[in-house]
Amino acid sequence: MAIWNAPTTEIDPEALASTDMLYLAYTMARIRPVVPDLFVVQRLKDVQRIKGLTMDTVLLQFWLAGLTGLAESSTSSQRLLWKCLVLVKIPSIVSKLGCSYNEICNTVESTLQQLSFYRGILNECDDCIAEDGMTERADVLKSIAVGCRAKGLVRLDQLDILADIPPTSYDPEEYKFEKHSEQLPSEAIDALCGRTLIDFEHQEALLDRIIQVCEDAATNNDVLTLSKLCQTLDDNPLVVDLVLLMRPPSMLLVPLESFINNLQQNEDDDIDTCNSNLEGFGDVLILIMTIIRRYELAECLDSVLNEKQGFCYLWLHHTSATIPTASMSSMTADMQGLMGRWITALFDSMGISDDLIQTSKPQMLLEISPSIFEQSLAACQAGVIDATTLNGGLDYFLQPCLLFVLIGVVQYLCQEIVFSAPSPLNSTHHSAHGASSASSMMSPTGGAVSPVVSRGGAGGNSGGKLGHSSSSSGKSVVMLQSILKSLLAGEAFPARLIRLLKSEISAALSHHAIENDHQLAIIHERLADTSVNYDSWKISEAYDVPKLAQQTSFAYDAIISGGRTPLIMKREKGWPILGGSSYHIDVDLFRATLCYIGPAQFVTNILKRFLKAALTPNGRRAAELGAAMITTPLVGCGDKHLSPQSLIWTMMSQTIWIPVPGRLETFAQGKHLATFVGMTLDMFQSSTFVEHRQAQQQQQQQQNGVNSVSTAAAAAGGESMDVDSVQVSTESGSGSGSTNLLEQLERDAAVEPFRVMLDQRLKALEPIARDRPGFEGFVQGMAQYRERHPALSLPLQGGTGTASTTTTPLRKVVRMV
């Protein structure tokens, strides 16, 4: 048992795991992309190990954390995510703990038995779910047991709660999408997505079926099915929420990316087929962009897309909203020719011909669409065409097959308006949530600021405004505003494009008064309508940026003073209490604080609040919460600067030695600080460690497949194969031991630089530690921690291959868990 688990007074062992599990559950429900399952599995094992608990105690707290989030969710969409977490995600995580069948069944059955005594929180969840209009009385505990039964985590003869609940069936063949199926693709897709939202017993299989349909349709170039699926997912964001709660974003995005990269128009196809292809291309592209923007994946495209040289990746990553006029000479001849044909077709009496549709590559048309409008606008300003003709040309793009072209057109219009508008736009106070920056429009991903890039080289903009000439007159801006409002207020403009381009539209129109402007009122109403259930996993209210650090400090104090107090435990068990208390952890607030004030100030604030709490009986909980906040990713897999590794580095190299010394007063405070630092190091999982585990898991799954084939062959071959089967089993077990060793080696290697840095600092502090009780307590605590974590004595060279060849010597120096 670790040093921080030797309390001076008797403490309920359940309380030792509550903060970590509560923070982990709220992070999984709020942060996208969700941390990998392997990260969660390892965190459960870490909490069990360093706090000397049983796994059923850890799982009890994990489920209680999820139930707390469910009870405190304020909308039906949030409740849906929490129900999925409690009933589906947690059983799925538990099934990956790597225990034997009997061991995991004993653990889960014991956990559910203990959970049944927490009737207070269970009743709250039952009432919460009943508010969603269920016809029958909800029983969350039974639903959890059913979810565990679906994953094979319980034995039917051991749980009376399942005696009156017969298992239901799910047949993947029920949702067929073949060309000759009696059920239309649209009907099958609606039925599949609709059932996914209500059938929690088979929800994981249904979500996997959605992904499989996406993969099959993209591979078979089934445009009709893929188009309908993307429209349905775009119109039902809760389904996408569930997919990305259970699976990595890449599983959904990679098939869509492949379709965008490979779709080609065939001149031999009839016009209806070509129109269908263009419409499907637009539907898929809009869903890709919606997912990337909605879940803020622009900073981690490398991990969610597969083809780094494909059109989709390059367009999202590099292409700006418009190709500047100065770079027209750098366009390929095909691009220039296609743009000329479209401009001519839009503004002469002939209109868009079938031949033009059939010979237009959708990828190229998407790239040149902003410049088509830019040239058309220049012609209107020069008097070559009038405004009516210009608006008539835009109306062509409202056809279903050309809607995707409007993405670039609207971005161009908004960009020109924003950068031509007076400075008040830039001086307006913005909040941390919902604030639209003009620079966010410079990339189709809506992500970080990127310069307007010309295709040919260093050409492009030379002025101070990106993508806009400094000579633009006020009259042209008024015309742009009029065109944009007319386009967006029209009934034919689709809601999904308004939802996709919400940030650009809001920025372009935010400084216009709605009064006496009928079009603008319609646009704002449509913006509000498309925002419903759009960010269902987030808290909707805005935060005041200058006060983020203060708000985070208040939230930190509230969590450590609440939580597993006797008051909360009475509430959970349904005992009468005076007053109320809330578990709520505002992960959105912590995330916004980290993003806006940076890692150094974020860690400093945590340590300041921790040191204050360490003078109270809440010191242990403050250490647990602080360690969880620093070691659990708050920004997905994007910005490495805001990753746990960066936070720990900041703490070890700066924070402990600069703001802390003046506040470290008592010996007990110092011991609590050692607890905080030790827990942080023990909880830390580097990205390379998680990737290493994922690679090993894939390799093990492949090996299990080979072993299954060998076992089947042995059964067919009779007794002559028995020796080989035993041999394979033995080798597999040996490999498992080696795998565990390599995992621990990888983990220790990630933590060792921080330990070395800490040792160097502590050695320098030894002369003054004797005269400072706080430092003396810290040094003693870290010395005891170091005794349990001996330094690595071998160089880490040669990667996995080298490590595997030196397994025997390494057993003497690597601490096994």
Side-chain angles (χ1 to χ4, degrees):
M1 183 178 291
I3 57 171
W4 47 85
N5 270 5
T8 55
T9 59
E10 186 176 353
I11 294 180
D12 186 348
E14 295 179 4
L16 295 174
S18 62
T19 307
D20 309 89
M21 294 298 97
L22 195 63
Y23 191 82
L24 180 62
Y26 271 85
T27 303
M28 293 172 65
R30 297 289 186 189
I31 300 300
R32 296 293 183 277
V34 180
V35 292
D37 289 354
L38 285 171
F39 178 95
V40 182
V41 169
Q42 188 63 46
R43 175 58 57 88
L44 297 178
K45 294 179 178 179
D46 289 341
V47 171
Q48 177 196 16
R49 172 177 56 84
I50 70 173
K51 297 187 178 183
L53 304 173
T54 59
M55 182 55 73
D56 59 330
T57 298
V58 176
L59 294 184
L60 173 65
Q61 294 307 310
F62 199 16
W63 257 304
L64 282 174
L67 291 169
T68 300
L70 176 58
E72 295 187 348
S73 53
S74 57
T75 65
S76 59
S77 57
Q78 289 181 4
R79 283 193 287 273
L80 176 64
L81 286 173
W82 281 107
K83 282 191 285 186
C84 180
L85 178 68
V86 170
L87 308 181
V88 184
K89 183 71 172 181
I90 293 181
S92 179
I93 293 292
V94 174
S95 68
K96 299 174 183 178
L97 285 173
C99 305
S100 66
Y101 175 73
N102 287 332
E103 183 181 0
I104 195 64
C105 286
N106 289 334
T107 299
V108 174
E109 289 161 6
S110 173
T111 301
L112 296 182
Q113 182 67 27
Q114 296 177 62
L115 189 59
S116 66
F117 295 109
Y118 289 80
R119 200 62 257 176
I121 189 68
L122 293 174
N123 287 338
E124 287 187 39
C125 290
D126 292 345
D127 294 338
C128 175
I129 295 175
E131 293 176 3
D132 292 334
M134 295 182 62
T135 56
E136 298 181 1
R137 174 66 179 176
D139 190 327
V140 172
L141 185 59
K142 283 188 176 181
S143 299
I144 292 175
V146 169
C148 293
R149 179 180 64 186
K151 301 298 294 184
L153 302 176
V154 294
R155 292 161 294 200
L156 300 183
D157 59 343
Q158 297 295 319
L159 284 181
D160 295 337
I161 194 174
L162 292 174
D164 59 341
I165 307 178
T168 59
S169 60
Y170 162 69
D171 182 9
E173 296 299 318
E174 183 177 349
Y175 302 100
K176 293 185 177 181
F177 299 88
E178 289 83 2
K179 294 182 179 180
H180 302 291
S181 174
E182 296 181 0
Q183 192 175 29
L184 296 175
S186 58
E187 296 175 352
I189 288 172
D190 288 339
L192 175 59
C193 293
R195 182 176 175 181
T196 299
L197 297 175
I198 59 175
D199 186 353
F200 293 97
E201 184 174 0
H202 304 107
Q203 191 174 68
E204 190 169 9
L206 291 165
L207 293 171
D208 286 336
R209 180 59 179 158
I210 290 175
I211 294 175
Q212 186 63 51
V213 170
C214 182
E215 293 175 347
D216 293 343
T219 301
N220 301 327
N221 202 34
D222 185 352
V223 179
L224 181 62
T225 298
L226 190 60
S227 175
K228 172 57 182 176
L229 178 60
C230 289
Q231 288 183 43
T232 302
L233 294 178
D234 199 22
D235 293 335
N236 296 273
L238 288 176
V239 179
V240 183
D241 287 344
L242 296 179
V243 171
L244 298 193
L245 176 62
M246 297 301 301
R247 297 292 181 259
S250 58
M251 293 189 69
L252 183 60
L253 287 174
V254 167
L256 304 180
E257 171 200 20
S258 175
F259 176 82
I260 291 295
N261 289 341
N262 299 320
L263 181 67
Q264 297 293 333
Q265 289 285 58
N266 191 340
E267 296 182 22
D268 296 332
D269 291 336
D270 57 63
I271 187 61
D272 291 337
T273 300
C274 292
N275 284 334
S276 177
N277 287 343
L278 288 177
E279 183 177 356
F281 180 88
D283 291 333
V284 174
L285 179 72
I286 290 171
L287 180 62
I288 290 176
M289 291 184 64
T290 298
I291 291 174
I292 288 175
R293 288 186 168 206
R294 185 163 176 253
Y295 300 98
E296 300 177 355
L297 303 176
E299 295 294 333
C300 54
L301 287 181
D302 287 353
S303 63
V304 298
L305 296 180
N306 189 39
E307 301 176 24
K308 304 303 184 290
Q309 298 302 317
F311 168 81
C312 185
Y313 178 89
L314 294 175
W315 187 73
L316 291 170
H317 199 272
H318 298 299
T319 308
S320 60
T322 181
I323 301 175
T325 305
S327 67
M328 292 298 175
S329 59
S330 65
M331 286 187 182
T332 65
D334 289 343
M335 293 175 72
Q336 291 186 22
L338 184 61
M339 187 169 70
R341 293 174 63 198
W342 271 92
I343 291 177
T344 301
L346 285 170
F347 303 112
D348 67 11
S349 59
M350 300 299 293
I352 300 175
S353 66
D354 291 352
D355 178 68
L356 181 57
I357 292 290
Q358 291 169 312
T359 57
S360 294
K361 293 182 179 180
Q363 297 87 351
M364 189 179 296
L365 183 57
L366 178 65
E367 286 192 276
I368 65 175
S369 59
S371 293
I372 291 175
F373 182 75
E374 186 180 40
Q375 293 297 302
S376 304
L377 181 63
C380 181
Q381 291 172 332
V384 177
I385 59 175
D386 56 26
T388 303
T389 305
L390 179 62
N391 287 328
L394 274 180
D395 288 342
Y396 276 111
F397 295 138
L398 291 172
Q399 301 177 65
C401 64
L402 295 176
L403 284 178
F404 70 93
V405 177
L406 288 174
I407 296 173
V409 172
V410 173
Q411 284 182 319
Y412 172 81
L413 280 169
C414 293
Q415 176 182 286
E416 291 292 291
I417 292 171
V418 167
F419 286 109
S420 301
S423 58
L425 177 67
N426 298 326
S427 61
T428 302
H429 176 70
H430 294 285
S431 64
H433 282 281
S436 296
S437 170
S439 60
S440 71
M441 295 185 294
M442 304 310 294
S443 166
T445 59
V449 180
S450 61
V452 177
V453 182
S454 63
R455 287 252 165 198
N461 298 316
S462 57
K465 294 180 179 179
L466 297 175
H468 182 76
S469 170
S470 59
S471 63
S472 295
S473 64
K475 181 179 179 181
S476 66
V477 174
V478 172
M479 183 176 67
L480 290 172
Q481 295 168 348
S482 176
I483 293 172
L484 179 63
K485 289 191 292 184
S486 297
L487 185 63
L488 298 178
E491 293 182 1
F493 196 86
R496 48 202 168 109
L497 278 186
I498 289 183
R499 181 168 56 236
L500 173 63
L501 302 171
K502 177 182 177 181
S503 60
E504 289 93 330
I505 295 170
S506 299
L509 301 178
S510 61
H511 58 290
H512 295 277
I514 301 179
E515 293 79 7
N516 303 320
D517 192 330
H518 180 64
Q519 288 182 329
L520 198 58
I522 293 175
I523 295 170
H524 278 274
E525 183 178 351
R526 300 187 74 185
L527 285 170
D529 290 341
T530 57
S531 300
V532 177
N533 289 333
Y534 189 64
D535 293 328
S536 53
W537 70 94
K538 293 184 177 180
I539 298 174
S540 58
E541 65 264 19
Y543 300 115
D544 189 356
V545 174
K547 296 181 180 179
L548 276 177
Q550 182 182 25
Q551 289 175 297
T552 298
S553 298
F554 290 155
Y556 184 90
D557 292 342
I559 295 167
I560 62 175
S561 61
R564 300 292 300 177
T565 62
L567 179 67
I568 289 295
M569 286 187 278
K570 287 181 179 180
R571 172 195 169 190
E572 287 180 337
K573 294 184 178 181
W575 298 348
I577 59 173
L578 297 176
S581 182
S582 174
Y583 259 133
H584 180 66
I585 292 184
D586 194 346
V587 175
D588 293 330
L589 171 63
F590 297 151
R591 180 180 182 276
T593 303
L594 175 60
C595 292
Y596 277 84
I597 71 176
Q601 192 61 41
F602 182 78
V603 174
T604 298
N605 287 346
I606 291 177
L607 276 169
K608 286 180 179 178
R609 304 313 300 176
F610 161 75
L611 289 174
K612 184 176 180 179
L615 296 172
T616 72
N618 296 323
R620 186 190 312 276
R621 286 184 53 80
E624 294 171 355
L625 178 60
M629 291 175 66
I630 289 178
T631 57
T632 306
L634 284 172
V635 194
C637 53
D639 194 341
K640 302 298 184 184
H641 183 62
L642 304 178
S643 68
Q645 182 164 340
S646 176
L647 297 181
I648 296 179
W649 183 270
T650 299
M651 182 176 73
M652 293 300 184
S653 64
Q654 301 176 21
T655 312
I656 291 181
W657 320 112
I658 300 175
V660 168
R663 295 176 171 83
L664 198 57
E665 301 173 1
T666 69
F667 183 85
Q669 234 186 344
K671 292 297 288 288
H672 278 309
L673 181 60
T675 297
F676 178 25
V677 173
M679 280 188 177
T680 301
L681 293 176
D682 271 355
M683 291 289 190
F684 172 61
Q685 299 180 48
S686 67
S687 57
T688 54
F689 171 71
V690 175
E691 292 170 0
H692 181 67
R693 292 281 314 278
Q694 288 174 328
Q696 288 177 342
Q697 187 182 57
Q698 293 174 357
Q699 184 178 6
Q700 185 176 7
Q701 290 174 347
Q702 293 173 355
Q703 183 63 37
N704 288 341
V706 173
N707 290 344
S708 298
V709 173
S710 300
T711 302
E719 297 179 358
S720 60
M721 296 295 292
D722 286 347
V723 176
D724 292 336
S725 299
V726 173
Q727 223 170 18
V728 170
S729 176
T730 303
E731 291 172 359
S732 176
S734 175
S736 176
S738 177
T739 296
N740 292 334
L741 177 64
L742 294 176
E743 288 176 5
Q744 188 59 44
L745 178 62
E746 173 66 36
R747 183 160 191 167
D748 283 347
V751 175
E752 192 63 19
F754 304 122
R755 293 176 182 161
V756 171
M757 184 186 305
L758 185 62
D759 286 347
Q760 293 173 344
R761 293 279 189 166
L762 289 176
K763 188 173 183 179
L765 287 173
E766 283 181 358
I768 65 171
R770 303 184 187 93
D771 301 325
R772 302 280 297 274
F775 271 109
E776 184 179 357
F778 180 52
V779 170
Q780 284 191 19
M782 292 315 302
Q784 295 176 27
Y785 168 83
R786 203 39 154 152
E787 289 176 3
R788 304 183 62 85
H789 298 77
L792 293 174
S793 59
L794 290 181
L796 303 177
Q797 298 176 351
T800 302
T802 302
S804 64
T805 60
T806 58
T807 299
T808 303
L810 285 176
R811 288 186 185 276
K812 299 179 180 179
V813 287
V814 179
R815 179 180 55 85
M816 296 296 291
V817 178

